[in-house]
Amino acid sequence: KIDYNVLSVLSGIAQSAYKMCGDIRLLSNLKEVEEPFSKTQIGSSAMAYKRNPMRSERVCSLARYVMGLPNAAANTHANQWFERTLDDSAIRRIYLPEGFLAVDVILNLLSNIGDGLHVWPAVIKARVMSELPFMSTEVILMECVKKGGDRQELHEAIRVHSMDAGAVVKGEGKPNDLMERIAKDPMFKAVHDDLDRLIDPVLFVGRAPEQVDEFITEEVNPVIEANKALLNVESVDDVNV
C-alpha cells in the first residue's frame, strides 16, 4: 500500500506536467507560445520548416507512463495472499525505480522548457480581438437595455448579426465584421459612440491579474524561499532534442 501512495504522488506530478505541456503543445499549434528551440535543432525530419514542441511531447509521453503506475501497485497490494506472497518482487523492482527516474526526467524537461519559453503577445492579441466581438455582445446588449432598448428585439438582432458574421469568417475566411454590422444597425445607436470601450479586453478578465499576483505572492514565493538553497545547485543533467 505504501508503494501505491508513493506512486500516487509521482502520478500527481506527472498529471500536472502533462496538463502544462499539453497546453503548450496546443498553444504552439496556434503560434502563441513556443518552447525553447536551438539554432540547429531539427523540428521535423520530414518538414524542415516545422518547430515541433519536442520537449513537451517527451514530457507527455513519460507522464502518461507514470500516471499508469499506481494501478500496478494497487493490483500488487490487492493480490497479496494472507501475510504476503512473492509475486510482488519482480514488478516492484520495475515500477518503483522507473517511476522516480521518469519523474526526474520530466522535472528536468519542465525546468528547461520554463527557462526558455517564448510567448508571442501580438499573436495572442490578434486571436483575442478576432473573437472578442462575439464575447462582447452581452455587454453591448445590456448597455442598450439600460438606455431603453427592448431586450428581446436586441437579442434577436445580435443573434442574426453574429450568425452572419460567423458565416463570413468560416465560409469566406474573412475577418470578424460583427462590430461593423452593429455599428451600422440603428437599433444599436445608443452605443455606437461607445463600441471601442465595450470591446476593451480589460473588461473581460475579471480578477485574473490580481489572482495571479496573489498566487505568486502567497503560494509560489514561499516555496521558492524555502528551497532557495536547492535552486543554487548546478544541474548535471542535460536535455537533448
Side-chain angles (χ1 to χ4, degrees):
K1 195 60 174 286
I2 293 175
D3 291 357
Y4 174 79
N5 292 335
V6 169
L7 290 173
S8 292
V9 173
L10 298 181
S11 174
I13 296 172
Q15 292 163 36
S16 297
Y18 196 113
K19 177 65 175 71
M20 170 183 165
C21 290
D23 287 348
I24 289 174
R25 292 167 66 192
L26 291 170
L27 292 171
S28 295
N29 179 61
L30 299 175
K31 296 181 175 58
E32 294 184 6
V33 166
E34 288 178 345
E35 64 176 32
F37 197 89
S38 64
K39 290 182 178 180
T40 58
Q41 181 178 329
I42 297 174
S44 169
S45 58
M47 292 165 278
Y49 70 91
K50 295 189 73 175
R51 295 173 61 118
N52 289 347
M54 298 169 68
R55 295 166 175 82
S56 294
E57 290 171 341
R58 191 178 301 175
V59 167
C60 289
S61 181
L62 291 169
R64 192 179 302 125
Y65 171 71
V66 175
M67 287 188 287
L69 295 180
N71 186 56
N75 279 290
T76 300
H77 169 68
N79 283 286
Q80 291 304 291
W81 299 350
F82 299 128
E83 288 81 6
R84 180 195 172 202
T85 57
L86 290 176
D87 65 340
D88 68 330
S89 179
I91 192 169
R92 294 183 74 234
R93 298 178 192 216
I94 297 172
Y95 64 51
L96 286 173
E98 288 196 352
F100 279 97
L101 289 170
V103 169
D104 182 66
V105 175
I106 287 171
L107 293 176
N108 276 313
L109 286 166
L110 291 181
S111 176
N112 181 266
I113 293 169
D115 189 50
L117 191 68
H118 296 279
V119 178
W120 303 109
V123 179
I124 295 171
K125 182 179 180 180
R127 190 171 303 279
V128 169
M129 296 309 295
S130 70
E131 296 295 329
L132 199 58
F134 294 126
M135 298 170 59
S136 66
T137 53
E138 185 176 358
V139 175
I140 293 171
L141 174 64
M142 296 311 297
E143 284 296 314
C144 287
V145 171
K146 288 178 184 178
K147 296 181 180 181
D150 184 282
R151 188 187 185 284
Q152 290 304 114
E153 292 180 358
L154 291 164
H155 184 282
E156 176 61 15
I158 286 179
R159 187 189 70 80
V160 172
H161 286 319
S162 297
M163 295 301 106
D164 291 343
V168 168
V169 172
K170 291 178 285 187
E172 301 178 31
K174 294 180 180 179
N176 188 338
D177 64 351
L178 178 58
M179 286 300 104
E180 287 83 351
R181 294 172 183 271
I182 291 176
K184 294 176 182 178
D185 190 334
M187 190 175 290
F188 298 94
K189 184 177 180 180
V191 296
H192 280 173
D193 294 334
D194 208 21
L195 284 177
D196 288 341
R197 183 186 67 83
L198 296 178
I199 61 170
D200 185 345
V202 174
L203 297 177
F204 301 90
V205 299
R207 291 194 66 254
E210 291 82 3
Q211 288 175 322
V212 170
D213 290 339
E214 291 169 4
F215 181 75
I216 291 175
T217 301
E218 299 173 10
E219 303 292 338
V220 176
N221 287 343
V223 173
I224 293 176
E225 179 63 26
N227 296 278
K228 60 183 180 181
L230 294 176
L231 297 176
N232 293 325
V233 176
E234 184 177 355
S235 176
V236 295
D237 297 311
D238 194 16
V239 174
N240 295 311
V241 291

